[in-house]
Amino acid sequence: MPFIYHRTVRFQDTDAAGVLYFANVLKICHEAYEESLEASGIILKEFFTNPSVAYPIIHANVDFFRPITCGDKLKIRLIPQKLNEEKFEIDYEIIIADLVASKALTRHACIDTATRHKKQLPNVMNKWIQQYKFVPIF
Amino acid sequence: MPFIYHRTVRFQDTDAAGVLYFANVLKICHEAYEESLEASGIILKEFFTNPSVAYPIIHANVDFFRPITCGDKLKIRLIPQKLNEEKFEIDYEIIIADLVASKALTRHACIDTATRHKKQLPNVMNKWIQQYKFVPIF
Amino acid sequence: MPFIYHRTVRFQDTDAAGVLYFANVLKICHEAYEESLEASGIILKEFFTNPSVAYPIIHANVDFFRPITCGDKLKIRLIPQKLNEEKFEIDYEIIIADLVASKALTRHACIDTATRHKKQLPNVMNKWIQQYKFVPIF
Amino acid sequence: MPFIYHRTVRFQDTDAAGVLYFANVLKICHEAYEESLEASGIILKEFFTNPSVAYPIIHANVDFFRPITCGDKLKIRLIPQKLNEEKFEIDYEIIIADLVASKALTRHACIDTATRHKKQLPNVMNKWIQQYKFVPIF
């Protein structure tokens, strides 16, 4: 079951062209990621200041299909996927009134913050992936 | 009756000192302003792209009383006040678990966007001020 | 000849993990794009408020190879490439002390801002691409 | 002697009203602060990740006198002032073509990051203040 995050486009998200500044879509996607972690029972305060483990983004991409403007009511559909024992990625669809306005992806590595070497995903993250991952009906 | 806006502090709002980046408090206050306009029946999409009238901020200030960190659940208490026929200001209290973490203020002028001259506040703004302004009990 | 842009990583660019917030790399790349336009003789003020033509980003991606922190002296190497009469893309390498820390790409469509239909790249943009595009030595 | 910082207004700094988003002026002022520290011989990388001392902003304010738009060439004039042994503030003037477009101020406390108690300004900061502070001619 994907995680759904609702978000209004703010004035600060826009630029002088009158639309959402392109890089801010990725910020909104990261917000959806934070909300989904919290919904899964993870304490954000500890998650982002954990002294031993972090999940830096090693790749991100985004496609735009239609302009997004101030006041738009976005529905962000988030689906995580495990790539291997040390990596996962997240697919995001940014939807306005049932039309996909943008799609994005972030790929994360699990690292030991002291050594910055890759390490196995802990159970809380496996549980989060399990909770929101794509489950084919057939 | 003040307007109340709830907002979780996002990772993107923080800086390398591990706390909310100071200027981002003002962005969060502006979000509260946008939400209050919408709650008052104003269509944000039109409000910020209205060809004839705008409300640029001519002054802002902010005080910090305690650190604000990622994941904090903020309650922003917004109170507008009319200064004269062409100006209003907004007081913001940023509260975490009943403690005031920060206070801010934005002062706005009502201008004609074509000439950038000041003009009278329209009825929708007077109504919004009326709705959320401070009303002394005694 | 690629365009080179120098940029110090600012405190505001970082997050509570102590490193550059991932989406901010794309903001820095866009700064490099703006600087390259200006270096090519284009007036930014007019470019971004031109009533008839705009170059919205339709795709962007970014890869991270090493952490980037506050105070880092970045050298951004920008190379534009024409894709067809209505589209171009830009490759960015973000270099710290001769090591590539990140790579990014933005793909732009040329549109008529009134109709939002694609249109031919104007001469100023063709000249800019010509000036900074990749020229193989062999 | 005030410190002078030159900065072009970027597309990302603007909003859908076509002007500099108000809170971003404070970000630009903070950039000027960082540049002045560096010009004074301070290593930014260590300054913002120093385990024992930090200079959080406890107050900020900003006034706007004229609109600032994308591509504008800003000259920021920075003047620090010591308030007492544990506090300093910085005055900023944002100038476009010899006209003051905005004025801002940030007030900083010197704290021990472990206890978050106030402590005496270290020598490097006193030297920095000395270097750029206002010196009356008469």
Side-chain angles (χ1 to χ4, degrees):
Chain A
M1 287 281 295
F3 178 78
I4 304 296
Y5 174 59
H6 294 276
R7 167 71 146 76
T8 303
V9 176
R10 302 293 173 197
F11 196 49
Q12 63 162 101
D13 302 321
T14 61
D15 58 37
V19 298
L20 184 66
Y21 182 71
F22 82 109
N24 289 341
V25 167
L26 291 171
K27 294 194 167 186
I28 292 172
C29 290
H30 201 277
E31 284 181 31
Y33 165 51
E34 295 172 38
E35 281 281 313
S36 73
L37 292 171
E38 208 167 28
S40 175
I42 290 168
I43 311 296
L44 287 185
K45 239 181 161 53
E46 296 162 9
F47 186 83
F48 285 112
T49 53
N50 186 312
S52 60
V53 61
Y55 309 93
I57 290 168
I58 53 174
H59 172 80
N61 68 58
V62 56
D63 287 280
F64 298 90
F65 305 117
R66 55 192 69 238
I68 303 173
T69 58
C70 190
D72 273 342
K73 304 294 176 188
L74 307 181
K75 173 178 153 185
I76 294 102
R77 202 167 158 275
L78 174 159
I79 300 179
Q81 187 187 357
K82 191 168 178 170
L83 298 177
N84 60 38
E85 287 308 315
E86 302 155 335
K87 280 185 195 168
F88 63 91
E89 63 183 33
I90 309 173
D91 273 296
Y92 310 87
E93 282 186 5
I94 294 90
I95 298 160
I96 305 175
D98 290 330
L99 288 171
V100 178
S102 174
K103 279 189 177 193
L105 180 150
T106 56
R107 191 172 298 135
H108 303 242
C110 177
I111 64 162
D112 182 298
T113 48
T115 64
R116 294 201 78 88
H117 287 164
K118 273 179 248 169
K119 58 181 284 186
Q120 272 212 326
L121 286 163
N123 284 342
V124 286
M125 291 308 278
N126 282 321
K127 178 185 159 247
W128 165 77
I129 292 168
Q130 201 63 29
Q131 189 171 354
Y132 299 118
K133 76 174 181 186
F134 179 67
V135 182
I137 293 173
F138 299 108
Chain B
M1 287 278 296
F3 178 78
I4 305 296
Y5 174 58
H6 294 277
R7 169 70 146 75
T8 303
V9 177
R10 301 295 172 194
F11 196 49
Q12 62 162 99
D13 302 321
T14 62
D15 59 35
V19 299
L20 184 65
Y21 181 71
F22 82 109
N24 289 341
V25 167
L26 291 171
K27 294 193 168 189
I28 292 171
C29 290
H30 200 277
E31 283 180 30
Y33 166 50
E34 296 172 36
E35 281 281 314
S36 74
L37 292 171
E38 207 167 28
S40 176
I42 290 169
I43 311 295
L44 288 185
K45 238 183 164 52
E46 294 162 11
F47 186 84
F48 285 112
T49 54
N50 188 313
S52 59
V53 63
Y55 310 93
I57 290 167
I58 54 174
H59 171 80
N61 68 57
V62 57
D63 287 281
F64 297 91
F65 306 116
R66 53 192 71 239
I68 303 173
T69 58
C70 190
D72 272 342
K73 303 294 175 188
L74 307 180
K75 174 177 152 184
I76 294 102
R77 202 167 159 276
L78 175 158
I79 299 179
Q81 188 188 355
K82 191 167 177 170
L83 298 177
N84 60 37
E85 287 308 314
E86 302 155 336
K87 280 186 196 169
F88 64 91
E89 65 184 30
I90 310 173
D91 273 297
Y92 310 87
E93 282 184 5
I94 293 92
I95 299 160
I96 306 176
D98 290 329
L99 288 170
V100 177
S102 175
K103 279 189 179 196
L105 180 150
T106 55
R107 191 171 299 134
H108 304 241
C110 177
I111 63 162
D112 181 298
T113 48
T115 63
R116 295 200 77 90
H117 288 163
K118 271 180 251 171
K119 59 182 282 185
Q120 271 212 327
L121 285 164
N123 284 342
V124 286
M125 292 307 280
N126 283 321
K127 179 184 159 245
W128 166 77
I129 291 167
Q130 202 61 29
Q131 187 171 357
Y132 299 118
K133 75 173 181 188
F134 179 67
V135 182
I137 294 174
F138 299 108
Chain C
M1 287 281 295
F3 178 78
I4 304 296
Y5 174 58
H6 293 276
R7 168 69 147 74
T8 303
V9 176
R10 301 293 173 196
F11 196 48
Q12 62 162 102
D13 301 321
T14 62
D15 58 37
V19 298
L20 184 66
Y21 181 71
F22 82 108
N24 289 340
V25 167
L26 290 172
K27 293 194 169 187
I28 293 171
C29 289
H30 201 276
E31 284 181 30
Y33 166 50
E34 295 172 37
E35 281 281 313
S36 73
L37 292 171
E38 207 167 29
S40 176
I42 290 168
I43 310 296
L44 288 184
K45 239 182 163 53
E46 295 163 10
F47 186 83
F48 285 112
T49 53
N50 187 313
S52 59
V53 62
Y55 309 93
I57 289 168
I58 53 173
H59 171 80
N61 68 57
V62 57
D63 288 280
F64 297 90
F65 306 117
R66 56 192 69 239
I68 302 173
T69 59
C70 190
D72 272 342
K73 303 294 176 188
L74 307 180
K75 173 179 154 185
I76 293 101
R77 202 168 160 274
L78 175 159
I79 300 179
Q81 187 188 357
K82 192 169 178 169
L83 298 177
N84 60 39
E85 286 308 315
E86 302 156 335
K87 280 186 195 168
F88 63 91
E89 64 182 32
I90 310 172
D91 273 297
Y92 310 87
E93 282 185 5
I94 294 91
I95 299 160
I96 306 175
D98 290 331
L99 288 170
V100 177
S102 174
K103 278 189 179 195
L105 180 149
T106 55
R107 191 172 298 135
H108 303 242
C110 178
I111 63 161
D112 183 298
T113 48
T115 63
R116 294 201 79 89
H117 288 165
K118 272 180 249 170
K119 59 182 282 187
Q120 272 212 326
L121 286 164
N123 284 343
V124 285
M125 291 308 279
N126 283 321
K127 179 185 159 245
W128 165 78
I129 292 167
Q130 202 62 30
Q131 188 172 354
Y132 299 118
K133 75 174 182 186
F134 179 66
V135 182
I137 294 173
F138 299 108
Chain D
M1 285 281 294
F3 178 78
I4 304 295
Y5 174 58
H6 294 276
R7 168 70 145 75
T8 303
V9 177
R10 301 296 173 192
F11 196 48
Q12 63 161 100
D13 301 321
T14 61
D15 59 37
V19 298
L20 185 65
Y21 181 72
F22 81 109
N24 288 341
V25 167
L26 291 171
K27 293 193 168 187
I28 292 171
C29 290
H30 200 277
E31 283 181 30
Y33 166 50
E34 296 172 38
E35 281 281 313
S36 73
L37 292 171
E38 206 167 30
S40 176
I42 290 169
I43 311 293
L44 287 185
K45 238 182 163 52
E46 295 162 10
F47 186 83
F48 285 112
T49 54
N50 187 314
S52 59
V53 63
Y55 309 93
I57 289 167
I58 53 174
H59 171 80
N61 67 58
V62 56
D63 287 280
F64 297 90
F65 306 115
R66 54 192 70 240
I68 303 174
T69 58
C70 189
D72 272 342
K73 303 294 176 189
L74 307 180
K75 174 178 153 183
I76 293 103
R77 202 166 159 276
L78 175 159
I79 299 179
Q81 186 187 357
K82 192 168 177 169
L83 298 177
N84 61 36
E85 286 308 314
E86 303 156 335
K87 279 185 196 169
F88 63 92
E89 64 183 30
I90 310 173
D91 272 297
Y92 310 87
E93 283 185 5
I94 294 89
I95 299 158
I96 305 176
D98 290 329
L99 288 171
V100 177
S102 175
K103 279 189 179 196
L105 179 149
T106 55
R107 192 171 299 133
H108 303 242
C110 178
I111 63 162
D112 182 298
T113 48
T115 64
R116 295 201 77 89
H117 289 163
K118 271 179 250 171
K119 58 182 283 185
Q120 272 212 327
L121 286 164
N123 284 341
V124 286
M125 291 307 279
N126 283 321
K127 178 183 161 250
W128 166 77
I129 292 166
Q130 203 60 31
Q131 187 170 356
Y132 299 118
K133 75 172 181 188
F134 179 68
V135 182
I137 293 173
F138 298 107

